[in-house]
Amino acid sequence: MTLTSASWAPVSTAASSAVEPSRAGSPGGVCAIHQPNLFPRLSTLAKLYAADRWIVLDDVQFVRRDYQHRARLAALDDPAAQQWLTLPAHLPRGRPTLISEALLADPGRSRRTVGHLVRQYYGRSCHWLDVREALEAVLDEFEATDRVSDVARASTVALLDALGWSGEVLDSSAIPTRGGRSERLADLAAATSSTHYLCGTGGRRYLDSRAFDARDIQVLFFHTPVNTSEPLWQWARRTSSLWAVSSLGSTALGGKLIECRPAAVLAASA
């Protein structure tokens, strides 16, 4: 998918580095750049949890078959039994619609569906209170917005909050960048005063590290444990993090995510 920005025309490196410091957040540290996902998968949540800041990539094209407006709910006792939770979306500009422009087709109905399905799947968990707090934050967001990205973002922030994450959240649409894929990501990292960029497994396929070298930003690669018999990680790239929270509780899950942070990330955040 080609990264584009409707809010800003492509600009030079000099222009992108001139973003006001007040908009850039606390200096230094590790940034992760990712689209807003509805109740994100554990692999996504783990990457964001490992970073000092999450730059929400909200000004790229909305993709109906992606995770921006849907999540796989896994049954508490059998994670192989799964069901899609989907927010029907209206795209005002058709296929070119950006994530930030996508609207909830029926906010009231979507709110009821989210509340019903999450309670149905996880209401009997002994860690239900952890899940309920995140769910209530999302249900409240339905009352305040008609935008898919707002609800998806709220669901991710609610889960990060449940895990005790203390980072900051910024929007890519507020930051001018160049048009190239890797150049744009490097510009976002630089404009937020990040010294390191945390790249997930998907980014390895296309990332050009030279764009980051030019901005004196180190690229760190992140992935959740592989070739493991632990169910938590076996399902990390397929199911919503709600299953992990329901299975372990937020405190224990937070400990698991700390364990899988690369040493390089810990050193960069120190």
Side-chain angles (χ1 to χ4, degrees):
M1 179 175 65
T2 301
L3 301 182
T4 59
S5 173
S7 301
W8 305 93
V11 295
S12 67
T13 301
S16 66
S17 63
V19 178
E20 298 91 332
S22 61
R23 196 194 288 173
S26 303
V30 181
C31 76
I33 303 173
H34 204 281
Q35 299 169 8
N37 283 184
L38 179 65
F39 294 118
R41 295 165 293 167
L42 186 59
S43 57
T44 298
L45 194 69
K47 182 181 76 170
L48 301 182
Y49 186 80
D52 300 300
R53 63 179 57 86
W54 170 31
I55 303 175
V56 184
L57 197 61
D58 62 347
D59 55 353
V60 296
Q61 184 178 333
F62 181 90
V63 180
R64 286 194 180 275
R65 297 183 64 85
D66 210 336
Y67 290 90
Q68 298 148 10
H69 69 130
R70 61 182 191 161
R72 276 196 184 102
L73 301 182
L76 189 59
D77 299 325
D78 180 12
Q82 301 176 6
Q83 177 179 350
W84 281 109
L85 168 60
T86 303
L87 306 180
H90 167 62
L91 308 185
R93 297 197 295 122
R95 187 173 181 180
T97 299
L98 304 181
I99 293 174
S100 60
E101 299 171 330
L103 303 175
L104 296 164
D106 189 337
R109 183 175 181 179
S110 289
R111 185 182 188 278
R112 292 190 297 272
T113 299
V114 169
H116 171 72
L117 282 180
V118 174
R119 290 188 183 96
Q120 176 183 323
Y121 268 75
Y122 307 115
R124 60 187 176 85
S125 165
C126 61
H127 303 294
W128 167 244
L129 289 181
D130 293 345
V131 178
R132 189 179 71 181
E133 287 188 11
L135 173 62
E136 289 177 350
V138 175
L139 296 181
D140 288 345
E141 191 68 19
F142 277 105
E143 303 291 342
T145 185
D146 62 350
R147 296 190 179 272
V148 174
S149 61
D150 291 340
V151 174
R153 170 182 168 146
S155 73
T156 303
V157 171
L159 289 171
L160 288 170
D161 285 346
L163 297 174
W165 187 69
S166 58
E168 60 182 349
V169 182
L170 305 166
D171 294 324
S172 66
S173 55
I175 303 170
T177 63
R178 294 170 290 175
R181 177 178 282 189
S182 295
E183 290 79 7
R184 182 160 188 253
L185 296 176
D187 287 351
L188 289 171
T192 56
S193 303
S194 301
T195 55
H196 296 72
Y197 167 63
L198 193 59
C199 179
T201 53
R204 285 177 179 265
R205 296 192 297 268
Y206 67 80
L207 195 74
D208 184 352
S209 61
R210 292 173 298 181
F212 293 85
D213 293 341
R215 308 303 297 269
D216 197 25
I217 295 169
Q218 184 177 349
V219 176
L220 303 175
F221 292 101
F222 178 88
H223 61 78
T224 52
V226 296
N227 300 324
T228 174
S229 60
E230 189 173 359
L232 178 69
W233 302 121
Q234 286 180 340
W235 299 102
R237 293 184 58 79
R238 289 183 55 81
T239 62
S240 167
S241 298
L242 288 172
W243 176 79
V245 175
S246 298
S247 298
L248 297 181
S250 58
T251 300
L253 180 58
K256 290 285 188 180
L257 298 191
I258 289 174
E259 290 175 3
C260 76
R261 278 178 175 172
V265 173
L266 294 174
S269 299

